[in-house]
């Protein structure tokens, strides 16, 4: 996950994307847990978001969101494994803002919403656009969902949905990445971040 702090874009791990600053630079604030302080209560870590003094960690192995303190100690769980209202199968992306926790799941179109205490609020209906939701970013009462679409010529198109009432709707026209008719679909890690003024997203390359 990405975060925006002023004019600085950082990842959840504390590395700056633009401009390039050291992690200990006074302009950067990251809230990254100290090394080694990750709770044994987590079965896996797919994504994480920091808000209101807590980490919210997507744990697909256990089908829930783990809530941790700033040092990585487990506090409670949000959601449980299942397919009913307020239940999760394979959470793959999480964002938190405005007292809400937003969760996207593997192979499901839509975003599940809880409050930070773990009470199920609603499920935002998906827009039905191409691809799947791979990352989330939340600002106040809105959530942005980044969708990754693989085109017939093997290029990748990233498009963004935004919450509107009880559903997600198209936001912006999107961008296409990669080389047409490449031998294989590129292995990438899409990222998105947002604040009150900007939405930043991209197709980061792995390896």
């Amino acid at each position: 996950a990405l975060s925006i702090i002023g004019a600085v874009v950082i990842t959840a791990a504390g590395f700056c994307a633009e401009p390039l600053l050291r992690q200990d630079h006074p302009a950067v604030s990251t809230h990254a847990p100290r090394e080694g302080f990750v709770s044994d209560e987590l079965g896996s870590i797919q994504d994480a978001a920091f808000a209101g003094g807590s980490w919210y960690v997507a744990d697909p192995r256990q089908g829930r969101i783990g809530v941790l303190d700033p040092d990585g100690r487990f506090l409670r769980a949000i959601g449980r494994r299942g397919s009913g209202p307020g239940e999760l199968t394979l959470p793959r992306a999480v964002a938190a803002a405005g007292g809400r926790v937003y969760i996207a799941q593997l192979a499901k179109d839509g975003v599940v919403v809880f409050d930070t205490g773990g009470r199920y609020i609603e499920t935002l209906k998906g827009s039905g656009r191409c691809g799947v939701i791979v990352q989330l970013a939340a600002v106040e009462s809105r959530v942005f969902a980044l969708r990754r679409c693989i085109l017939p010529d093997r290029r990748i198109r990233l498009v963004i949905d935004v919450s509107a009432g009880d559903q997600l709707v198209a936001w912006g026209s999107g961008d296409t990445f990669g080389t047409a008719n490449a031998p294989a679909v590129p292995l990438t890690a899409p990222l998105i971040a947002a604040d009150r003024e900007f939405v930043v997203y991209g197709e980061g390359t792995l390896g």
Side-chain angles (χ1 to χ4, degrees):
L2 285 175
S3 298
I4 297 178
I5 300 177
V8 178
V9 180
I10 64 171
T11 70
F15 299 101
C16 301
E18 180 64 41
L20 184 61
L21 298 176
R22 299 188 314 276
Q23 184 174 345
D24 60 354
H25 191 284
V28 178
S29 176
T30 64
H31 310 291
R34 295 197 304 271
E35 183 178 357
F37 282 74
V38 178
S39 172
D40 292 335
E41 295 282 345
L42 297 175
S44 58
I45 300 174
Q46 178 69 29
D47 191 26
F50 188 87
S54 296
W55 282 99
Y56 298 88
V57 181
D59 182 353
R61 184 172 297 173
Q62 300 196 68
R64 66 186 190 181
I65 302 299
V67 184
L68 281 62
D69 72 10
D71 291 325
R73 288 183 286 266
F74 187 86
L75 300 175
R76 61 187 179 276
I78 291 177
R80 62 182 181 182
R81 184 178 298 282
S83 57
E87 295 179 331
L88 305 171
T89 51
L90 293 170
R92 70 175 300 167
V94 61
R100 297 288 185 265
V101 180
Y102 303 93
I103 305 152
Q105 303 181 80
L106 184 68
K108 287 195 174 185
D109 193 20
V111 172
V112 183
V113 186
F114 291 85
D115 67 19
T116 52
R119 182 174 65 92
Y120 171 69
I121 303 296
E122 62 179 335
T123 298
L124 302 176
K125 292 179 290 188
S127 67
R129 295 209 286 172
C130 70
V132 295
I133 298 172
V134 292
Q135 284 290 336
L136 299 172
V139 182
E140 298 177 341
S141 61
R142 293 199 298 173
V143 60
F144 295 89
L146 182 65
R147 306 179 75 97
R148 184 178 190 260
C149 315
I150 300 176
L151 303 179
D153 63 4
R154 296 193 180 93
R155 289 183 300 165
I156 292 172
R157 184 164 183 79
L158 298 182
V159 297
I160 299 175
D161 295 339
V162 65
S163 56
D166 64 350
Q167 62 184 345
L168 299 172
V169 299
W171 185 89
S173 57
D175 288 286
T176 301
F177 299 83
T179 302
N181 299 311
V185 174
L187 182 62
T188 57
L191 295 169
I192 184 171
D195 65 9
R196 293 180 180 180
E197 298 183 50
F198 302 101
V199 175
V200 179
Y201 67 103
E203 183 74 2
T205 301
L206 298 178

